[in-house]
Amino acid sequence: MTILYALVARGTVVLAEFSGAPTNASTIAKQILEKIPSGSNDSHVSYSQDRFVFHVKRTDGLTVLCMADESSGRRIPFAFLEDIHGRFVKTYGRACHTALAYAMNDEFSRILSQQMEYYSNDPNADRINRIRGEMSQVRNVMIENIDKVLERGDRLELLVDKTANMQGNTFRFRKQARRFRSTVWWRNVKLMIMLIILLLIIIYVVLAFVCHGVTLPSCRR
């Protein structure tokens, strides 16, 4: 049997436990609970003891612990702990935060026994856990790909915005160019008119000088 002992605790208060073999696992487990600082962050840790390993999962103040053979690795024991944590929270909800020691032991110890048997002897347990891991990897890859697509979408949107700004700037430039050409044209027209008027004045002055008077008397005869 791979998993030999399991418990669920709140801090150092054991709410339920089950042992599948006559060992001192309960004593060692309680010593481990005392070493876990109260209010510490969620964690997944393992402690080696001879040829056995105590695996601990702490989530939201609730600690789930099991003792397994050293050869069992970490995947199956932590899959078991994840399963037990979910079942316990689903069954008791907020009551687990205020319950007295061993308040859930009569009922939940049977669930511990059943799941210990399942994860220790049923090959489907490891297969299902492996599939879950593969699905998690696929989900992570999908999320990563979606993030890349969204990031590219942001860049495309930014490019579109820049293109729109360039088009707006081009329109304003053309408008300003037309206004400038119009201004230059009117300035040239005014200059031409002034030159014509100046030329007429010069011609008149020359004629007045030649014709001996402003009224051009000698030229009118």
Side-chain angles (χ1 to χ4, degrees):
M1 190 173 188
T2 302
I3 301 176
L4 303 174
Y5 172 82
L7 68 73
V8 181
R10 182 189 68 250
T12 58
V13 179
V14 178
L15 302 176
E17 70 175 341
F18 179 81
S19 179
T23 65
N24 63 339
S26 178
T27 302
I28 298 175
K30 291 174 182 177
Q31 292 176 356
I32 293 175
L33 293 178
E34 293 175 355
K35 292 181 180 180
I36 301 176
S38 59
S40 61
N41 296 329
D42 297 352
S43 61
H44 295 69
V45 295
S46 299
Y47 300 93
S48 177
Q49 177 70 20
D50 295 332
R51 59 188 180 88
F52 299 103
V53 180
F54 288 82
H55 303 280
V56 183
K57 169 183 167 60
R58 180 183 176 87
T59 306
D60 297 331
L62 194 66
T63 302
V64 187
L65 177 150
C66 72
M67 184 187 76
D69 293 331
E70 190 176 22
S71 60
S72 63
R74 290 169 55 89
R75 186 172 61 205
I76 293 179
F78 276 104
F80 166 77
L81 295 179
E82 184 72 28
D83 183 16
I84 292 300
H85 178 271
R87 290 172 181 268
F88 194 86
V89 172
K90 183 178 180 180
T91 302
Y92 300 107
R94 295 180 178 274
C96 61
H97 297 292
T98 57
L100 299 176
Y102 293 97
M104 292 85 170
N105 193 64
D106 290 343
E107 179 182 6
F108 203 76
S109 62
R110 292 193 294 271
I111 297 177
L112 290 174
S113 175
Q114 293 171 1
Q115 296 309 108
M116 286 167 59
E117 177 71 22
Y118 172 72
Y119 280 89
S120 297
N121 300 318
D122 195 326
N124 290 326
D126 190 32
R127 188 179 303 117
I128 292 174
N129 188 47
R130 187 183 300 111
I131 293 174
R132 287 176 179 173
E134 293 174 354
M135 291 177 62
S136 178
Q137 291 179 356
V138 171
R139 184 172 64 252
N140 292 336
V141 171
M142 290 178 61
I143 292 174
E144 182 180 357
N145 291 338
I146 290 173
D147 289 340
K148 289 181 179 179
V149 171
L150 292 177
E151 182 181 356
R152 186 179 64 182
D154 292 340
R155 289 199 296 267
L156 290 175
E157 183 179 357
L158 180 61
L159 180 61
V160 170
D161 291 340
K162 289 183 177 179
T163 303
N165 291 334
M166 291 177 62
Q167 292 176 348
N169 293 335
T170 302
F171 175 77
R172 286 192 294 271
F173 176 78
R174 290 178 178 175
K175 186 176 181 180
Q176 292 175 356
R178 286 196 298 268
R179 187 183 298 117
F180 177 76
R181 286 197 299 268
S182 177
T183 302
V184 172
W185 185 82
W186 278 111
R187 186 180 300 169
N188 292 336
V189 170
K190 291 178 181 179
L191 181 61
M192 185 64 66
I193 293 174
M194 291 177 63
L195 289 175
I196 292 173
I197 293 174
L198 180 61
L199 181 61
L200 292 175
I201 292 174
I202 293 173
I203 293 173
Y204 175 76
V205 171
V206 172
L207 289 175
F209 179 77
V210 173
C211 296
H212 304 93
V214 177
T215 59
L216 310 177
S218 60
C219 295
R220 295 170 61 185
R221 294 175 183 175

